[in-house]
Amino acid sequence: MMKRSFLIFAFLNILIATAVAQPKQRRSQQKAETQQKQQKQQTTAQGGMTERMRIMYPTAVDMPEDVVWRRDIYREIDLSEEENAGLYDPVEPIGKQMNLFTYVFKLALNGYIPVYEYRLDGNEVLEASAKVEMKTILDNYHIFYEEADGKLKVDNSDIPSAEVRMYYLKESAYYDQANTTFHIKPQAFCPVMLREDDFGGDASKYPLFWVKYSDVEPFLSRQTIKTSDINDAALMTLDDYFTLNKYKGKIYKTANRLGKTLAQIANGDTAKYSAEQRRIEAELEAFRNNIFGDKQKRDSLDSIASIDPKKAAKTEKKQRTSTPKTKTEKASRSKSSKPKSSSSSSGAMSVRRQRH
């Protein structure tokens, strides 16, 4: 009896200990999950992508580092151009629809993507040392905001999207020898505010910050823009817009050993500036068209190779035996069709007669 009581008492102690241990285990598990979530959020805020985002957007791949040919181009994307107008509309958000700057501004404000300072020399540095806080941007350009519990809040009406009427865009044209393909991939862009002074002069340019395209690329696949003024159903994601190079922009700089912009090379000569732009565009187009050989020669060879030899022989025979249509052709045909043996024989006879 004593032994049975002892076993029952021991069993009850085990049950009590298990019941007490379960909440502790759950609390420790919840704590670990919270830490993992915070770590993922911190990774996203630092500009990286979470594992879930990598699975949802597997095509966000940077340009290979071992390409055999590459050229970096800097363009001015003017939002007043018809091809770029979709990046400006709407100026203020309408539901979930917003323009590029408002979308990027909100992502940066909430810590989803990092932004990098715009240096006075215009060269971008997309590294941790060049990161800039959004609070600094807001203070420098007098954008009204509220701060509560360490978080920044900016109303839609205070976001200066109406003043951002231009972008600086860096793209890389490169040949990927691994896939034998030619690409033009955006690398970074910088929103530029155009603000007029109090005296009504020309609007001054205020580049705000650089955004690395690979950081914002997964988010751009979720936002659409209009691509037509007459069809409101014609939509395209921002990522497709940039990936397909639907934007239009004038070249203002290329990567060169002297580090000079086209304005510095032209030295105030407008004609020379335009000539340099045309020359660079022509070089890119020539490389794209001739990278796989001369297009005209390739097309001619393809057309020759596609001809069926039997059909070609029949066509040639038919052309030879076709009846001439004009009188001139008939006359020439009748002359050329006279038997040669008669003339040759008459010639031979005359020679013989002379010999006799």
Side-chain angles (χ1 to χ4, degrees):
M1 192 70 180
M2 289 284 294
K3 190 173 183 180
R4 181 181 291 180
S5 300
F6 178 78
L7 290 174
I8 294 171
F9 181 75
F11 182 71
L12 290 173
N13 285 335
I14 293 172
L15 289 177
I16 294 170
T18 305
V20 173
Q22 279 181 352
K24 289 184 178 179
Q25 187 176 1
R26 289 175 184 173
R27 286 196 295 269
S28 61
Q29 186 177 358
Q30 290 176 354
K31 187 177 180 181
E33 291 176 355
T34 304
Q35 289 178 350
Q36 288 179 357
K37 288 181 180 179
Q38 290 177 351
Q39 186 176 3
K40 286 184 178 181
Q41 289 176 356
Q42 185 178 4
T43 303
T44 305
Q46 290 175 352
M49 286 191 294
T50 62
E51 190 65 27
R52 181 183 177 187
M53 187 167 286
R54 290 182 186 277
I55 294 172
M56 291 176 62
Y57 194 78
T59 57
V61 181
D62 289 336
M63 179 185 63
E65 296 181 357
D66 59 344
V67 295
V68 296
W69 189 92
R70 165 187 156 194
R71 189 167 191 182
D72 294 336
I73 304 293
Y74 295 80
R75 297 182 182 273
E76 282 187 356
I77 309 298
D78 186 356
L79 301 189
S80 62
E81 296 282 347
E82 183 179 355
E83 293 84 351
N84 309 323
L87 301 177
Y88 188 73
D89 178 69
V91 175
E92 287 194 20
I94 303 175
K96 294 183 179 180
Q97 192 66 29
M98 59 188 75
N99 64 15
L100 176 62
F101 177 72
T102 302
Y103 190 53
V104 170
F105 184 88
K106 286 178 176 289
L107 290 174
L109 193 68
N110 294 322
Y112 289 106
I113 60 171
V115 294
Y116 303 88
E117 64 176 342
Y118 182 87
R119 299 169 52 176
L120 295 177
D121 58 2
N123 296 322
E124 77 291 345
V125 178
L126 306 177
E127 298 177 357
S129 59
K131 285 183 181 179
V132 59
E133 298 293 333
M134 280 301 294
K135 187 176 181 179
T136 305
I137 299 292
L138 299 176
D139 290 333
N140 289 346
Y141 297 99
H142 309 290
I143 302 172
F144 181 77
Y145 66 93
E146 295 178 354
E147 187 173 5
D149 299 329
K151 294 183 179 180
L152 302 175
K153 182 181 178 181
V154 180
D155 290 336
N156 290 335
S157 58
D158 293 322
I159 299 175
S161 61
E163 295 179 298
V164 177
R165 291 175 286 175
M166 180 182 291
Y167 285 89
Y168 293 150
L169 179 111
K170 177 186 178 182
E171 64 182 16
S172 292
Y174 66 94
Y175 172 68
D176 186 0
Q177 71 274 14
N179 302 318
T180 61
T181 52
F182 181 82
H183 299 277
I184 298 179
K185 182 175 178 62
Q187 298 295 330
F189 60 83
C190 170
V192 181
M193 284 197 311
L194 297 179
R195 281 185 173 176
E196 298 178 356
D197 55 26
D198 297 333
F199 302 99
D202 294 335
S204 301
K205 297 179 182 179
Y206 295 95
L208 297 178
F209 48 77
W210 283 103
V211 177
K212 192 176 180 180
Y213 188 78
S214 59
D215 290 338
V216 76
E217 190 172 11
F219 300 99
L220 297 183
S221 63
R222 307 176 187 177
Q223 191 68 24
T224 59
I225 61 171
K226 293 181 180 180
T227 58
S228 173
D229 288 333
I230 59 176
N231 182 9
D232 292 337
L235 301 176
M236 177 183 291
T237 65
L238 282 167
D239 182 41
D240 287 340
Y241 175 83
F242 283 106
T243 302
L244 298 174
N245 310 124
K246 294 295 185 180
Y247 53 86
K248 178 183 178 182
K250 294 182 179 180
I251 298 174
Y252 72 90
K253 187 174 73 168
T254 60
N256 55 72
R257 289 173 291 181
L258 298 177
K260 290 185 176 181
T261 63
L262 295 190
Q264 292 172 331
I265 295 174
N267 196 20
D269 189 342
T270 306
K272 187 176 181 181
Y273 187 89
S274 300
E276 284 293 310
Q277 288 177 324
R278 291 193 298 269
R279 179 184 64 80
I280 297 169
E281 293 283 10
E283 289 175 352
L284 289 174
E285 191 66 21
F287 184 85
R288 183 207 292 264
N289 292 335
N290 298 322
I291 192 170
F292 301 110
D294 192 315
K295 187 177 184 299
Q296 293 182 351
K297 290 182 180 179
R298 184 171 70 250
D299 290 346
S300 63
L301 291 175
D302 290 344
S303 60
I304 292 171
S306 63
I307 295 176
D308 189 349
K310 293 181 180 180
K311 290 183 179 179
K314 288 181 180 179
T315 304
E316 185 178 357
K317 186 177 180 180
K318 193 173 182 180
Q319 289 177 350
R320 288 177 180 177
T321 57
S322 61
T323 306
K325 297 180 180 179
T326 61
K327 294 181 178 179
T328 307
E329 289 176 345
K330 286 182 179 179
S332 60
R333 178 72 179 270
S334 60
K335 288 180 181 179
S336 60
S337 61
K338 287 181 179 180
K340 294 181 180 179
S341 57
S342 60
S343 61
S344 59
S345 60
S346 61
M349 290 177 63
S350 63
V351 171
R352 291 193 190 100
R353 288 170 184 169
Q354 288 176 1
R355 285 180 180 175
H356 288 295

